[in-house]
Amino acid sequence: MSANEMWGGRFAAGPAAVMQEINASIDVDRRFAAEDIRGSKAHAAMLADQGIISEADRDAILDGLDRVAAEIAEGRFAFKAELEDIHMNVEARLKELIGESAGRLHTARSRNDQVATDFRLWLRGALDGLDAAMADLQRALIDRAEAHADVLMPGYTHLQAAQPVTFGHHLLAYVEMVGRDRGRMADCRKRLNECPLGAAALAGTSFPIDREATARALGFDRPTANSMDSVAARDFALEFLAAASIHAVHLSRLAEEIVIWMSEPFGFVTLSDAFTTGSSIMPQKKNPDAAELVRAKPGRILGSFVALATVMKGLPMTYGKDMQEDKEPVFDAADNLLLATAAMAGMIDDLSPRPEAMRRALEKGFPTATDLADWLVRVLGLPFREAHHVTGALVRAAEEAGVDLAALDLPTMQAVESRITEDVYSVLTPEASAASRTSLGGTAPANVRAAAAAARKRFPETASGGRKGSAR
Ligand code: ARG
């Protein structure tokens, strides 16, 4: 095999086959061909504006790059592993199309700043797509919260019935989590939006380039400040993977709740045929596979973070070929997170709550015990600790009688605390309990309706007010 036409000047012979195999990244980085060409066009235009290349060379380069872009877009481009990566594949084809002018494109540039630029451009676009999907999930949750603002269900701690809440309130909890997830992605986008182009290999260049111009042309806020950092940094990718991991973890919690709610002992919600699958042996089954897969996604997404953090750990300045391993984890995490977010929005739009089953669950586990203790404090003036103790004794009495607190008769209550009156029953129903939780951020149905309306304002992209259906 002959030496590489891009960098083979000092090489007499070509690489071993296994060297080429381990070295080539084209099967992965062809994914940002469009960004690579966009970056090259901005670079060529700047070189001509600065008088570094001629206008004729620039015109030939820009025209040739458009033709390469068209070939790639139309699937007519022959990607070659012997040309290693997307950068050299594009440049080699450009040379075939326009001849010697192509060789001037790489003036004052290196693949090191080129790949860093391409990767940031690609991730910026992916973040925008992801944000739209995350906003759509919030929209689905808010729609549902409004529709079920007064559907009562047990709120859990330790997965033990704790206090009555509304289904709407429960869903709005996830609107907050996803809102912070979007904030983390927005922070990541803001920090990554600096342009490394012009850092060249690592030290900058002696050519009179205009880095502000290329940064502007590519929609970056500014050029990066340090040439070595420009080619060495991948914390923008790590930051994305960290934010992606957190969002995936949040999605998995909601997914797990859907699995629990769908399970036969709970039966709190059903999903339609659109989001379930059957069993090939058990004809009665309707399985929440989409929820289970969303529950599983943190495995690969957290794995991607660990993979890239491990690649970067201990790498000396500046670029090392190690860093070529940065793309697969980011692509995989971005694809799977987008899919999981869209699938979750689809499930939230699809699911039907079963209020009777939720209400029945409130008859077990004494979820209004706190309301009883609060009544003892408010009406009888007991210190909360003592009220807690008295309520514990009343719960034991109800347990022994096999009834819930609302059905425990007054004489039995008075045997535990003689000053209890008939009025206590006014706080022992789940309806009364939930309606009384009017503190800021509380679960009272009126609060939930106001909170849903406020959420639509705080997250303006959700303000559709109606179902758009699944984002995909
Ligand atoms: N394919 C390479 C990567 O993804 C491009 C940068 C190569 N730079 C170099 N000095 N060999 O990292």
Side-chain angles (χ1 to χ4, degrees):
M1 195 178 286
S2 59
N4 186 290
E5 61 177 287
M6 297 291 160
W7 46 251
R10 75 189 294 278
F11 287 75
V18 70
M19 169 60 192
Q20 180 176 299
E21 197 180 337
I22 195 173
N23 200 37
S25 58
I26 186 62
D27 286 341
V28 175
D29 57 27
R30 56 190 282 181
R31 182 151 179 192
F32 51 49
E35 286 79 9
D36 190 71
I37 290 171
R38 203 174 152 203
S40 287
K41 288 177 72 175
H43 184 66
M46 180 278 291
L47 290 177
D49 287 348
Q50 296 299 106
I52 300 167
I53 64 172
S54 71
E55 295 189 350
D57 282 333
R58 174 199 60 201
D59 293 345
I61 289 168
L62 294 182
D63 180 58
L65 286 171
D66 282 340
R67 289 164 62 192
V68 176
E71 288 182 2
I72 294 173
E74 291 157 23
R76 293 185 280 116
F77 191 91
F79 292 100
K80 294 185 185 136
E82 60 272 26
L83 290 168
E84 260 183 69
D85 56 23
I86 186 62
H87 323 293
M88 296 201 291
N89 267 269
V90 168
E91 195 183 320
R93 180 66 184 140
L94 184 66
K95 189 173 173 201
E96 284 171 11
L97 291 171
I98 69 168
E100 286 310 317
S101 301
R104 300 197 184 277
L105 171 60
H106 215 52
T107 313
R109 184 178 79 169
S110 150
R111 277 187 293 153
N112 295 349
D113 57 338
Q114 196 178 351
V115 71
T117 305
D118 295 357
F119 201 14
R120 286 180 193 234
L121 284 173
W122 185 88
L123 187 52
R124 193 176 72 188
L127 283 168
D128 292 342
L130 198 50
D131 185 65
M134 292 163 85
D136 189 55
L137 172 56
Q138 287 184 303
R139 190 271 317 148
L141 290 163
I142 297 171
D143 284 354
R144 275 323 175 87
E146 270 173 351
H148 310 296
D150 36 29
V151 169
L152 294 173
M153 67 182 282
Y156 297 91
T157 61
H158 313 269
L159 199 54
Q160 307 285 320
Q163 294 176 340
V165 296
T166 70
F167 187 55
H169 196 54
H170 193 131
L171 296 177
L172 287 181
Y174 285 99
V175 172
E176 297 304 313
M177 291 189 217
V178 177
R180 290 190 297 275
D181 293 345
R182 290 179 64 201
R184 274 180 278 273
M185 296 290 180
D187 284 348
C188 172
R189 189 192 193 286
K190 205 166 124 193
R191 252 186 298 281
L192 75 70
N193 204 30
E194 295 185 344
C195 187
L197 196 59
L202 77 163
T205 174
S206 57
F207 289 98
I209 59 172
D210 183 351
R211 293 193 58 211
E212 300 281 353
T214 42
R216 221 178 305 118
L218 295 170
F220 288 106
D221 294 330
R222 65 192 76 83
T224 49
N226 180 290
S227 64
M228 294 177 76
D229 172 56
S230 304
V231 297
R234 290 295 181 272
D235 55 271
F236 65 87
L238 285 172
E239 188 172 4
F240 163 67
L241 291 172
S245 296
I246 295 171
H247 181 50
V249 165
H250 286 161
L251 291 178
S252 81
R253 295 182 71 171
L254 181 50
E256 166 69 351
E257 298 207 288
I258 291 174
V259 171
I260 292 173
W261 294 340
M262 282 271 294
S263 70
E264 195 275 320
F266 277 76
F268 284 5
V269 302
T270 52
L271 283 173
S272 79
D273 296 355
F275 283 91
T276 49
T277 61
S279 158
S280 52
I281 175 167
M282 297 165 284
Q284 84 284 11
K285 295 272 280 199
K286 214 173 155 189
N287 298 325
D289 289 32
E292 293 168 75
L293 287 161
V294 172
R295 185 173 63 180
K297 290 298 183 189
R300 65 199 301 157
I301 295 174
L302 278 152
S304 293
F305 175 80
V306 173
L308 184 56
T310 309
V311 166
M312 298 310 295
K313 182 206 161 290
L315 263 195
M317 287 288 110
T318 50
Y319 178 86
K321 197 65 172 249
D322 314 53
M323 289 160 67
Q324 181 163 282
E325 299 273 315
D326 58 0
K327 296 164 204 71
E328 275 178 280
V330 169
F331 291 159
D332 188 77
D335 290 345
N336 281 281
L337 195 61
L338 184 64
L339 182 58
T341 305
M344 183 54 82
M347 282 188 278
I348 296 299
D349 279 338
D350 182 78
L351 62 78
S352 318
R354 295 176 57 213
E356 343 67 58
M358 295 181 183
R359 184 65 182 73
R360 235 177 292 123
L362 282 164
E363 276 147 33
K364 284 172 276 177
F366 310 106
T368 57
T370 315
D371 300 270
L372 175 51
D374 288 349
W375 185 90
L376 295 170
V377 169
R378 204 171 47 244
V379 180
L380 301 187
L382 297 189
F384 183 78
R385 280 294 157 222
E386 197 186 326
H388 186 284
H389 193 76
V390 170
T391 305
L394 290 165
V395 165
R396 202 167 350 104
E399 213 159 34
E400 277 160 17
V403 295
D404 68 13
L405 284 172
L408 195 62
D409 59 55
L410 193 58
T412 309
M413 289 211 197
Q414 286 168 339
V416 174
E417 165 52 66
S418 60
R419 288 171 293 166
I420 294 178
T421 64
E422 193 71 37
D423 179 63
V424 76
Y425 293 102
S426 68
V427 302
L428 294 184
T429 64
E431 286 73 14
S433 169
S436 74
R437 299 273 189 278
T438 53
S439 57
L440 181 67
T443 195
N447 281 37
V448 172
R449 269 185 281 272
R456 272 200 214 286
K457 288 216 181 74
R458 284 163 56 217
F459 304 107
E461 305 82 353
T462 65
S464 69
R467 285 206 215 178
K468 273 192 284 176
S470 149
R472 296 166 74 88

